[in-house]
């Protein structure tokens, strides 16, 4: 066997998976057809549960340049309708306004620290499988070669060659009635509201920053990112001019005309300030597709290779990076020989429904931003519904991915089982410690906050795979006295008893066996 895992694609998903595998003791090889990191910026930030996940791997501080933990934002947007998050009891919409190329840089640096081999300029060209391994055909700078690997993971985007070569279908819908134009640009300083940072556009009125702004003619976005070039975007449906692949590159004049059609007012646009690369992009149509399966024997898919959808609401990296965190420890367990039966299959069982839900809500948002009087009436109804805090909570949870609850089987008895682990502050004897500081090595963890800390005894056969932290909780209202966390920070078992009884202890051992294999 040449290597344990080959990952096709060195974008954020491929690099994050490489980090997760390395933390679990597996050394992957990452193939990337491009000779260097792309300068194209496909996303302007991260939003949702993934921000907290990166914090729990010690990566949030690197990305944010802050020593403070992540905080949720006071507002967001759903289908170009504002969401007031300030009144929520549990606001799940965390954001991190960092460009994708910076995310890739940080993840590559971390992967290299962990000993990951990244082969740039190496492209997967073919594959074949047998019962024991995958043979990958690769074209490199000095010629073609083969690698035999136990598993191959496609993190190679929406046009994934891995997916095509493995025969996995990619059904869905392609539309061609929409054109989106986006660019870095400057606007006259006199038009910028000194309080909100939004626009005061003569002939139109106030436009808040960072929000999708819908009119009967299209969608407009003004995003003045701090210390970065401002992004201006205009989207139209059934545009009057013909679109095609042979059109010349987008210009600021073309974007300015599109903004005039959408808003009915002129917005002077100038070239962006500072050094590039600068964004100047025209996208026609859209794709919504979901792989009919995420695994074909020893080939697996993550991120856009498994699902593509509208970018509205910024769910792409939230979904894809959490795919990798779900898959990494399970694949490593299979390779290292302690995986219980069906563990690797649970990757698709858990993540495909999450992708289906993202497809659903992005399509719903796309419907809400379309032109037409019927859509305007629907938006009026939604505006009324969003005055109810419960509806705002539900939509915010859905967009963040905070409504996920995996099936933990016999461990489902506790309300927290199957859900994301809350941000507890256990006191290990030297003061309160954030849970994020206990999960950076991506190992299963038993957090024992019971009165006598005796749950450690139940781990005698799993100490090679599961860490235990005995502590006390300074919060008498803490939601649990003991948590068994999977490496992806979802709770496999929980108790609220000061001293768990024999039945709960048996349930703990059942959960340990189900997720981390038989006792050694």
């Amino acid at each position: 066997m040449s290597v344990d895992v080959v990952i096709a694609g060195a974008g954020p998903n491929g690099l994050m998976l490489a980090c997760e595998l390395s933390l679990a003791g597996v050394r992957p090889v990452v193939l990337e057809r491009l000779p260097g990191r792309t300068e194209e910026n496909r996303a302007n930030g991260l939003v949702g549960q993934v921000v907290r996940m990166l914090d729990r791997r010690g990566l949030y501080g690197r990305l944010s340049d802050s020593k403070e933990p992540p905080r949720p934002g006071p507002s967001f947007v759903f289908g170009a309708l504002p969401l007031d998050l300030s009144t929520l009891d549990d606001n799940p919409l965390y954001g991190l306004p960092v460009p994708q190329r910076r995310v890739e840089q940080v993840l590559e640096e971390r992967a290299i620290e962990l000993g990951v081999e990244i082969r740039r300029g190496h492209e997967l060209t073919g594959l074949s499988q047998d019962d024991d391994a995958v043979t990958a055909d690769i074209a490199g700078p000095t010629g073609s070669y083969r690698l035999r690997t136990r598993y191959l993971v496609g993190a190679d985007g929406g046009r994934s060659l891995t997916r095509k070569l493995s025969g996995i279908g990619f059904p869905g819908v392609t539309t061609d009635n929409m054109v989106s134009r986006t660019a870095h640009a400057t606007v006259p300083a006199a038009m910028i509201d000194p309080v909100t940072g939004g626009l005061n556009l003569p002939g139109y009125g106030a436009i808040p920053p960072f929000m999708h702004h819908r009119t009967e003619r299209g969608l407009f976005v003004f995003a003045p990112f701090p210390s970065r070039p401002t992004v201006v975007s205009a989207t139209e449906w059934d545009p009057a001019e013909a679109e095609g692949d042979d059109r010349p590159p987008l210009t600021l004049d073309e974007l300015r005309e599109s903004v005039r059609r959408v808003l009915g007012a002129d917005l002077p646009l100038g070239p962006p300030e500072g050094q590039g690369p600068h964004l100047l992009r025209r996208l026609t149509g859209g794709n919504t597709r979901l792989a009919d399966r995420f695994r074909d024997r020893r080939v697996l898919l993550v991120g856009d290779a498994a699902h593509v959808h509208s970018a509205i609401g910024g769910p792409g990296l939230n979904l894809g990076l959490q795919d990798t965190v779900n898959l990494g420890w399970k694949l490593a367990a299979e390779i290292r020989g302690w995986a219980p039966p069906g563990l690797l299959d649970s990757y698709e069982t858990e993540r495909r429904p999450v992708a289906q839900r993202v497809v659903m809500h992005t399509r719903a948002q796309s419907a809400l931003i379309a032109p037409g009087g019927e859509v305007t009436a629907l938006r009026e109804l939604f505006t009324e519904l969003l005055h109810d805090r419960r509806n705002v909570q539900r939509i915010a949870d859905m967009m963040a991915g905070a409504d996920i609850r995996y099936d933990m089987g016999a461990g489902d008895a506790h309300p927290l089982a199957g859900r994301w682990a809350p941000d507890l502050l256990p006191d290990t004897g030297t003061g309160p410690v954030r849970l994020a500081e206990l999960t950076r090595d991506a190992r299963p963890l038993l957090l024992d906050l019971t009165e006598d800390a005796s749950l450690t005894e139940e781990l005698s056969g799993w100490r090679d795979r599961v860490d235990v932290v005995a502590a006390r909780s300074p919060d008498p209202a803490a939601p649990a006295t003991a948590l068994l966390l999977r490496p992806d920070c979802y709770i496999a078992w929980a108790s609220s008893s000061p001293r768990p009884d024999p039945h709960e202890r048996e349930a703990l051992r059942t959960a340990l066996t189900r997720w981390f294999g038989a006792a050694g």
Side-chain angles (χ1 to χ4, degrees), residues 6-11 14 29-32 124 152-157 160 162 302 305:
V6 168
I7 301 170
V29 170
V30 181
L31 307 176
E32 172 54 56
L124 179 73
L152 173 66
V153 181
D156 45 353
S160 171
T162 306
V302 296

Side-chain angles (χ1 to χ4, degrees), residues 309-329:
H309 44 76
S310 169
I312 191 166
L317 286 176
N318 186 31
L319 179 60
L321 289 173
Q322 290 196 81
D323 284 350
T324 68
V325 175
N326 186 286
L327 175 60
W329 70 276

Side-chain angles (χ1 to χ4, degrees), residues 103-253:
V103 175
E104 291 186 10
Q105 178 186 354
V106 168
L107 289 177
E108 181 174 331
E109 290 170 355
R110 178 57 173 153
I112 291 171
E113 288 173 7
L114 293 170
V116 174
E117 181 182 358
I118 302 171
R119 300 183 184 181
R120 292 196 173 273
H122 294 247
E123 182 177 9
L124 179 73
T125 59
L127 67 85
S128 60
Q129 298 191 62
D130 55 41
D131 291 341
D132 301 317
V134 181
T135 300
D137 297 315
I138 302 162
T142 61
S144 299
Y145 63 98
R146 285 184 168 180
L147 272 180
R148 190 161 168 81
T149 177
R150 294 183 65 179
Y151 290 93
L152 173 66
V153 181
D156 45 353
R159 295 189 174 95
S160 171
L161 183 62
T162 306
R163 185 187 64 242
K164 295 173 183 175
L165 291 171
S166 60
I168 296 176
F170 204 41
V173 177
T174 298
T175 58
D176 59 1
N177 65 339
M178 181 176 67
V179 177
S180 175
R181 300 173 176 88
T182 305
H184 288 139
T186 54
V187 301
M191 292 185 180
I192 298 178
D193 188 309
V195 176
T196 68
L199 288 174
N200 285 318
L201 184 60
Y204 187 85
I207 299 176
F210 300 106
M211 297 292 188
H212 293 108
H213 187 78
R214 179 207 178 247
T215 74
E216 289 289 352
R217 298 168 296 276
L219 194 72
F220 174 77
V221 178
F222 175 72
F225 291 100
S227 306
R228 291 161 51 192
T230 293
V231 174
V232 176
S233 178
T235 302
E236 299 177 81
W237 281 258
D238 295 321
E241 70 274 20
E243 297 290 340
D245 293 336
D246 58 346
R247 294 204 65 194
L250 176 68
T251 64
L252 285 180
D253 285 340

Side-chain angles (χ1 to χ4, degrees), residues 272-296:
E273 297 175 345
Q275 294 184 343
H278 291 130
L279 180 63
L280 202 62
R281 181 178 65 204
R282 182 199 302 114
L283 297 176
T284 302
N287 254 329
T288 300
R289 297 186 177 276
L290 181 62
D292 56 24
R293 59 193 190 280
F294 285 12
R295 178 187 179 190
D296 176 54

Side-chain angles (χ1 to χ4, degrees), residues 475-503:
D475 180 8
T481 58
L483 297 174
L484 177 63
L485 272 62
R486 306 188 321 184
D488 58 1
C489 289
Y490 281 83
I491 299 168
W493 171 90
S495 172
S496 294
S497 304
R499 292 175 178 264
D501 60 27
H503 176 74

Side-chain angles (χ1 to χ4, degrees), residues 86 93 144 163 166 279 283 334 403 428 468 474 486 512:
S86 62
L93 276 170
S144 299
R163 185 187 64 242
S166 60
L279 180 63
L283 297 176
E334 193 74 27
D403 59 351
T428 58
V468 60
R486 306 188 321 184
L512 286 164

Side-chain angles (χ1 to χ4, degrees), residues 357-431:
R357 192 158 177 78
V358 171
V359 166
M360 177 273 288
H361 77 66
T362 54
R363 295 188 76 178
Q365 291 184 77
S366 296
L368 283 168
I369 63 174
E374 295 88 349
V375 174
T376 300
L378 182 62
R379 291 175 60 81
E380 291 173 358
L381 174 60
F382 260 77
T383 299
E384 291 184 14
L385 294 174
L386 292 177
H387 287 147
D388 188 325
R389 186 174 63 177
R390 293 170 298 178
N391 293 332
V392 176
Q393 184 76 64
R394 183 172 186 136
I395 288 177
D397 287 344
M398 176 180 65
M399 295 184 73
D403 59 351
I404 295 171
R405 186 179 187 187
Y406 295 136
D407 179 8
M408 295 295 166
D412 267 345
H414 194 280
L416 287 178
R419 297 196 179 279
W420 171 264
D423 290 321
L424 302 177
L425 287 171
D427 187 339
T428 58
T430 57

